[in-house]
mmCIF file of all heavy atoms in Angstrom:
data_model
loop_
_atom_site.group_PDB
_atom_site.id
_atom_site.type_symbol
_atom_site.label_atom_id
_atom_site.label_comp_id
_atom_site.label_asym_id
_atom_site.label_seq_id
_atom_site.Cartn_x
_atom_site.Cartn_y
_atom_site.Cartn_z
ATOM 1 N N ASP A 672 99.178 -58.428 -64.993
ATOM 2 C CA ASP A 672 99.372 -59.631 -64.123
ATOM 3 C C ASP A 672 99.533 -60.831 -65.023
ATOM 4 O O ASP A 672 98.608 -61.101 -65.834
ATOM 5 C CB ASP A 672 98.135 -59.776 -63.217
ATOM 6 C CG ASP A 672 98.289 -60.941 -62.218
ATOM 7 O OD1 ASP A 672 99.163 -61.776 -62.417
ATOM 8 O OD2 ASP A 672 97.454 -60.994 -61.262
ATOM 9 N N ALA A 673 100.597 -61.565 -64.899
ATOM 10 C CA ALA A 673 100.841 -62.679 -65.798
ATOM 11 C C ALA A 673 99.774 -63.762 -65.665
ATOM 12 O O ALA A 673 99.597 -64.529 -66.566
ATOM 13 C CB ALA A 673 102.230 -63.262 -65.489
ATOM 14 N N ALA A 674 99.003 -63.789 -64.557
ATOM 15 C CA ALA A 674 97.984 -64.761 -64.367
ATOM 16 C C ALA A 674 96.635 -64.369 -64.957
ATOM 17 O O ALA A 674 95.686 -65.094 -64.970
ATOM 18 C CB ALA A 674 97.770 -65.050 -62.883
ATOM 19 N N ALA A 675 96.576 -63.098 -65.516
ATOM 20 C CA ALA A 675 95.312 -62.627 -66.069
ATOM 21 C C ALA A 675 95.687 -61.524 -67.126
ATOM 22 O O ALA A 675 95.652 -60.325 -66.833
ATOM 23 C CB ALA A 675 94.439 -61.993 -65.015
ATOM 24 N N VAL A 692 107.691 -66.568 -63.811
ATOM 25 C CA VAL A 692 106.517 -67.451 -63.719
ATOM 26 C C VAL A 692 106.465 -68.079 -62.332
ATOM 27 O O VAL A 692 105.380 -68.238 -61.757
ATOM 28 C CB VAL A 692 106.564 -68.586 -64.836
ATOM 29 C CG1 VAL A 692 105.447 -69.551 -64.602
ATOM 30 C CG2 VAL A 692 106.398 -67.889 -66.212
ATOM 31 N N MET A 693 107.558 -68.448 -61.773
ATOM 32 C CA MET A 693 107.542 -69.161 -60.473
ATOM 33 C C MET A 693 107.182 -68.225 -59.323
ATOM 34 O O MET A 693 106.881 -68.735 -58.164
ATOM 35 C CB MET A 693 108.851 -69.846 -60.188
ATOM 36 C CG MET A 693 110.032 -69.003 -59.985
ATOM 37 S SD MET A 693 110.647 -68.257 -61.553
ATOM 38 C CE MET A 693 112.288 -67.863 -61.088
ATOM 39 N N LEU A 694 107.131 -66.919 -59.548
ATOM 40 C CA LEU A 694 106.755 -65.994 -58.472
ATOM 41 C C LEU A 694 105.266 -65.742 -58.498
ATOM 42 O O LEU A 694 104.756 -65.157 -57.514
ATOM 43 C CB LEU A 694 107.533 -64.642 -58.694
ATOM 44 C CG LEU A 694 109.063 -64.722 -58.678
ATOM 45 C CD1 LEU A 694 109.658 -63.361 -58.899
ATOM 46 C CD2 LEU A 694 109.582 -65.381 -57.427
ATOM 47 N N VAL A 695 104.614 -66.071 -59.554
ATOM 48 C CA VAL A 695 103.193 -65.785 -59.679
ATOM 49 C C VAL A 695 102.405 -66.773 -58.780
ATOM 50 O O VAL A 695 102.646 -67.975 -58.895
ATOM 51 C CB VAL A 695 102.722 -65.974 -61.181
ATOM 52 C CG1 VAL A 695 101.203 -65.707 -61.265
ATOM 53 C CG2 VAL A 695 103.503 -65.057 -62.075
ATOM 54 N N PRO A 696 101.596 -66.286 -57.837
ATOM 55 C CA PRO A 696 100.921 -67.207 -56.888
ATOM 56 C C PRO A 696 100.224 -68.360 -57.658
ATOM 57 O O PRO A 696 100.278 -69.527 -57.186
ATOM 58 C CB PRO A 696 99.940 -66.279 -56.170
ATOM 59 C CG PRO A 696 100.591 -64.909 -56.248
ATOM 60 C CD PRO A 696 101.290 -64.891 -57.553
ATOM 61 N N ASP A 697 99.553 -68.109 -58.752
ATOM 62 C CA ASP A 697 98.965 -69.178 -59.571
ATOM 63 C C ASP A 697 99.819 -69.369 -60.850
ATOM 64 O O ASP A 697 99.416 -68.793 -61.890
ATOM 65 C CB ASP A 697 97.492 -68.832 -59.836
ATOM 66 C CG ASP A 697 96.779 -70.027 -60.531
ATOM 67 O OD1 ASP A 697 97.436 -71.004 -60.891
ATOM 68 O OD2 ASP A 697 95.555 -69.944 -60.655
ATOM 69 N N CYS A 698 100.907 -70.087 -60.742
ATOM 70 C CA CYS A 698 101.766 -70.177 -61.910
ATOM 71 C C CYS A 698 101.125 -71.033 -63.025
ATOM 72 O O CYS A 698 101.428 -70.876 -64.197
ATOM 73 C CB CYS A 698 103.114 -70.701 -61.571
ATOM 74 S SG CYS A 698 103.160 -72.389 -60.911
ATOM 75 N N ASP A 699 100.168 -71.934 -62.657
ATOM 76 C CA ASP A 699 99.394 -72.655 -63.699
ATOM 77 C C ASP A 699 98.590 -71.714 -64.548
ATOM 78 O O ASP A 699 98.485 -71.860 -65.777
ATOM 79 C CB ASP A 699 98.524 -73.691 -63.054
ATOM 80 C CG ASP A 699 99.330 -74.734 -62.304
ATOM 81 O OD1 ASP A 699 99.997 -75.552 -62.954
ATOM 82 O OD2 ASP A 699 99.269 -74.778 -61.045
ATOM 83 N N ALA A 700 97.993 -70.689 -63.862
ATOM 84 C CA ALA A 700 97.214 -69.687 -64.635
ATOM 85 C C ALA A 700 98.128 -68.913 -65.573
ATOM 86 O O ALA A 700 97.751 -68.582 -66.739
ATOM 87 C CB ALA A 700 96.501 -68.765 -63.650
ATOM 88 N N ALA A 701 99.313 -68.602 -65.092
ATOM 89 C CA ALA A 701 100.286 -67.840 -65.953
ATOM 90 C C ALA A 701 100.642 -68.621 -67.201
ATOM 91 O O ALA A 701 100.672 -68.135 -68.293
ATOM 92 C CB ALA A 701 101.514 -67.526 -65.145
ATOM 93 N N ALA A 702 100.835 -69.930 -67.006
ATOM 94 C CA ALA A 702 101.173 -70.816 -68.125
ATOM 95 C C ALA A 702 99.985 -70.896 -69.122
ATOM 96 O O ALA A 702 100.160 -70.832 -70.345
ATOM 97 C CB ALA A 702 101.567 -72.210 -67.701
ATOM 98 N N ARG A 703 98.761 -70.967 -68.548
ATOM 99 C CA ARG A 703 97.614 -71.026 -69.473
ATOM 100 C C ARG A 703 97.449 -69.695 -70.240
ATOM 101 O O ARG A 703 97.112 -69.683 -71.364
ATOM 102 C CB ARG A 703 96.293 -71.242 -68.598
ATOM 103 C CG ARG A 703 96.188 -72.661 -68.159
ATOM 104 C CD ARG A 703 94.751 -72.965 -67.650
ATOM 105 N NE ARG A 703 94.384 -72.157 -66.535
ATOM 106 C CZ ARG A 703 94.593 -72.456 -65.240
ATOM 107 N NH1 ARG A 703 95.173 -73.601 -64.914
ATOM 108 N NH2 ARG A 703 94.224 -71.678 -64.280
ATOM 109 N N GLU A 704 97.775 -68.605 -69.533
ATOM 110 C CA GLU A 704 97.702 -67.264 -70.278
ATOM 111 C C GLU A 704 98.744 -67.220 -71.378
ATOM 112 O O GLU A 704 98.490 -66.663 -72.474
ATOM 113 C CB GLU A 704 97.872 -66.115 -69.279
ATOM 114 C CG GLU A 704 96.661 -65.891 -68.426
ATOM 115 C CD GLU A 704 95.476 -65.439 -69.228
ATOM 116 O OE1 GLU A 704 94.890 -66.306 -69.891
ATOM 117 O OE2 GLU A 704 95.153 -64.274 -69.208
ATOM 118 N N PRO A 750 105.128 -70.495 -54.211
ATOM 119 C CA PRO A 750 105.641 -69.474 -55.165
ATOM 120 C C PRO A 750 106.957 -68.911 -54.508
ATOM 121 O O PRO A 750 107.031 -68.651 -53.374
ATOM 122 C CB PRO A 750 104.578 -68.417 -55.150
ATOM 123 C CG PRO A 750 103.315 -69.068 -54.637
ATOM 124 C CD PRO A 750 103.749 -70.170 -53.764
ATOM 125 N N ARG A 760 108.078 -80.630 -62.745
ATOM 126 C CA ARG A 760 106.987 -79.674 -62.429
ATOM 127 C C ARG A 760 106.935 -78.565 -63.460
ATOM 128 O O ARG A 760 105.866 -78.184 -63.873
ATOM 129 C CB ARG A 760 107.243 -79.107 -60.977
ATOM 130 C CG ARG A 760 106.218 -78.073 -60.599
ATOM 131 C CD ARG A 760 106.089 -77.976 -59.103
ATOM 132 N NE ARG A 760 105.546 -76.680 -58.683
ATOM 133 C CZ ARG A 760 104.291 -76.305 -58.846
ATOM 134 N NH1 ARG A 760 103.425 -77.126 -59.358
ATOM 135 N NH2 ARG A 760 103.894 -75.088 -58.484
ATOM 136 N N VAL A 764 103.652 -77.732 -65.652
ATOM 137 C CA VAL A 764 102.978 -76.416 -65.665
ATOM 138 C C VAL A 764 102.883 -75.910 -67.080
ATOM 139 O O VAL A 764 101.792 -75.387 -67.479
ATOM 140 C CB VAL A 764 103.776 -75.464 -64.755
ATOM 141 C CG1 VAL A 764 103.293 -73.990 -64.948
ATOM 142 C CG2 VAL A 764 103.608 -75.856 -63.273
#
Side-chain angles (χ1 to χ4, degrees):
D672 182 346
V692 173
M693 67 285 203
L694 304 178
V695 179
D697 187 348
C698 63
D699 296 292
R703 284 195 299 273
E704 285 296 75
R760 178 156 157 72
V764 167

